[in-house]
Amino acid sequence: VLAALICLESEGSPFYSQIRVGQTRPDGSLTTFRMWKFRSMYRDADERLAELKEQNEIAGAMFKMREDPRVTKIGRFIRKHSIDEFPQFLNVFLGQMSVVGPPLPNEVAEYTEYDLQRLAVKPGITGWWQVTDRNSTGFDGMVQRDLEYIARRGILTDLRIIALTVIEVITGKGAF
């Protein structure tokens, strides 16, 4: 049903894929993989990003914009409730992702030595910063939360993050 609604509002595949950076290898090199999402933006969104860069609302190596004109109507709803992330369970099944969110490759190019520490673990659908600060923090806060997760990771921590993620998905609190 969601795929049909996405296609009705804007032409193109209902799915969006993008190359993401994964966990750092033992030799220090970065892994990459194709990540899947339900498409929440118009087809030309990646091409239009350059014209919107100056309106970025998050400081650091990341782009976020509250009223992003590239987002479709159905896209606003599925983003608010994180439904666009559901296809990433395929990436989890394939062993490419886990619990901590993956950064974009073009953002990694801007990482400092400190920021690169967040790549010490496998990326994932959700994470500590998504359920604590969501979009109310800057990039530095996201990195700090990811490093807190890495220091405390374990089954109980992951179960807590999953439970908090379910609440975030239902309420849509803090999303944009």
Side-chain angles (χ1 to χ4, degrees), residues 6 9 11 16 20 23 30 36 52 56 58 71 86-87 89 94-96 109 111 118 130-131 135 137 145 163 165:
I6 292 169
E9 184 174 7
E11 60 183 52
Y16 173 77
R20 292 277 177 121
Q23 187 174 10
L30 300 176
W36 293 93
L52 299 170
N56 189 6
I58 300 278
V71 179
F86 284 7
F89 283 106
L94 295 172
Q96 300 163 326
Y111 277 19
R118 73 192 302 220
Q130 289 95 328
V131 299
N135 288 315
T137 189
R145 292 286 187 245
T165 298

Side-chain angles (χ1 to χ4, degrees), residues 82-102:
S82 301
I83 297 167
D84 59 324
E85 312 285 346
F86 284 7
Q88 291 177 20
F89 283 106
L90 174 63
N91 295 111
V92 173
F93 176 75
L94 295 172
Q96 300 163 326
M97 293 177 68
S98 183
V99 176
V100 178

Side-chain angles (χ1 to χ4, degrees), residues 37-41 45 63-66 68 70-85 134-135 168-169 172 175-176:
K37 295 176 92 166
F38 280 116
R39 185 170 53 84
S40 63
M41 295 184 168
F63 180 84
K64 291 266 188 181
M65 187 177 167
R66 242 179 250 291
D68 193 326
R70 302 170 304 153
V71 179
T72 63
K73 290 176 191 158
I74 190 73
R76 290 197 197 294
F77 177 80
I78 66 175
R79 282 173 158 224
K80 180 177 182 177
H81 296 284
S82 301
I83 297 167
D84 59 324
E85 312 285 346
R134 196 135 186 201
N135 288 315
E168 291 285 330
V169 168
F176 67 83

Side-chain angles (χ1 to χ4, degrees), residues 56-64 110 137-143:
N56 189 6
E57 296 177 27
I58 300 278
M62 176 174 237
F63 180 84
K64 291 266 188 181
E110 299 174 38
T137 189
F139 179 73
D140 291 341
M142 294 173 194
V143 172

Side-chain angles (χ1 to χ4, degrees), residues 15 31 50 61 79 103 112 147 151 154 162:
F15 296 100
T31 61
R79 282 173 158 224
T112 65
L147 297 181
I162 290 167

